[in-house]
Amino acid sequence: MTAMRRFEGHAVLITGAARGIGAATARRFADEGARVLVTDADLPAAEKTAAALRERGATAEAFGCDVARRAEAEAAVARAVDAFGSLDVLVNNAYRCTPDTPLFEDGSDDDWAADLDVTLSGAYRCSRAALPHLVASGRGAVVTIGSVNGIQDFGNHAYSAAKAGLMSLTRTLAGHAAQRGVRVNLVAPGTVRTSAWEGRERDLAVASGLYPLGRVGEPEDIAAAVAFLASADAAWITGTTLRVDGGLLAVNTAFRQAVRAHAQESGEAEGDGTG
């Protein structure tokens, strides 16, 4: 358990918090003293996560919330305020990601719309409902989970477009909310070891070799970044996208490895291969 207690007395709502990054973020906030509303479309799973937090001595409740439904997003915010008396932090983590079809033109309107509705519009709905309460708290913060997919092409067209949209929403909402005392930021993770990769350890091992830091991320890596941006330690940070990606977007590891291998095979001095 972390020794820091930056969120004593804070009330935190996290969407998509039943598992993975959301659950790790809930644990991080709870360990730092926050009261946490664990929301997820899968209520039984959310209840298990909340129960685990209570076993750690935290104050936590679960609430069923499909962020694609405005009424449920608003009800989740109302529940947090009713249960805890206020709302200080909103973490937009819920998402939907449909695998790409082999050909772009074979993609369906329904899948495209659903990915955007949950991932992008869901964050909009929750932020809209939460904002008055975040303003009232006097220390409000929104932290949204984006992705490197919103910055560079890694496939998943609709999901990536939604994540890119979240970066724009972060900037525009930050500009609107700053004068009202609310900060708005986004964390853009790279590959993170979650249940979405279950049974694909070999794929994760291959992916690890493409990261300059030599490994994929863990949910706790993202949770730490979220907690920082939500805390007073980031009091002069708003409207930013924080890449938490093991250096993936900064260094083209695969390219460097290819150049190095070619140099070794040819006996040439290693260069950068860019001309």
Side-chain angles (χ1 to χ4, degrees):
M1 182 178 292
T2 179
M4 294 186 292
R5 303 283 290 185
R6 294 176 293 185
F7 298 101
E8 291 282 2
H10 286 61
V12 180
L13 188 162
I14 306 172
T15 67
R19 54 183 63 83
I21 291 172
T25 301
R27 288 192 298 272
R28 180 64 184 243
F29 276 107
D31 287 350
E32 291 206 39
R35 299 163 292 169
V36 181
L37 186 67
V38 177
T39 79
D40 202 283
D42 184 347
L43 179 56
E47 289 174 336
K48 290 181 181 179
T49 298
L53 295 181
R54 290 193 293 270
E55 290 177 0
R56 298 164 73 95
T59 299
E61 293 192 11
F63 192 86
C65 176
D66 178 355
V67 298
R69 301 177 181 274
R70 176 175 179 172
E72 294 189 23
E74 292 177 346
V77 170
R79 179 56 189 160
V81 174
D82 182 62
F84 306 139
S86 63
L87 181 62
D88 302 288
V89 178
L90 168 67
V91 180
N92 290 310
N93 174 66
Y95 75 94
R96 184 182 190 274
C97 181
T98 303
D100 289 336
T101 53
L103 293 176
F104 180 85
E105 58 266 33
D106 291 335
S108 76
D109 284 0
D110 289 344
D111 285 336
W112 176 272
D115 279 15
L116 267 67
D117 197 23
V118 173
T119 308
L120 177 56
S121 297
Y124 164 72
R125 293 183 187 100
C126 293
S127 299
R128 178 177 59 191
L131 188 57
H133 303 286
L134 298 173
V135 171
S137 82
R139 56 189 179 189
V142 177
V143 183
T144 296
I145 307 301
S147 173
V148 294
N149 284 58
I151 302 170
Q152 187 171 307
D153 173 35
F154 293 100
N156 299 116
H157 305 302
Y159 169 82
S160 298
K163 291 296 190 178
L166 286 173
M167 291 193 297
S168 178
L169 177 62
T170 294
R171 293 188 296 269
T172 57
L173 182 56
H176 171 81
Q179 293 183 353
R180 302 170 71 186
V182 176
R183 297 180 302 104
V184 185
N185 292 291
L186 179 142
V187 174
T191 305
V192 178
R193 189 190 309 274
T194 66
S195 59
W197 291 89
E198 188 172 347
R200 299 172 61 191
E201 289 300 320
R202 184 173 180 179
D203 292 338
L204 285 176
V206 171
S208 295
L210 300 177
Y211 281 82
L213 290 181
R215 67 174 177 88
V216 299
E218 301 295 338
E220 291 75 18
D221 294 318
I222 312 308
V226 173
F228 163 68
L229 287 174
S231 76
D233 291 334
W236 210 47
I237 300 174
T238 196
T240 195
T241 290
L242 176 60
R243 301 175 182 181
V244 184
D245 66 352
L248 179 67
L249 297 180
V251 180
N252 191 329
T253 303
F255 181 82
R256 292 170 65 92
Q257 290 173 343
V259 170
R260 185 177 299 115
H262 173 75
Q264 291 173 346
E265 290 174 1
S266 64
E268 297 174 356
E270 182 181 335
D272 65 10
T274 59

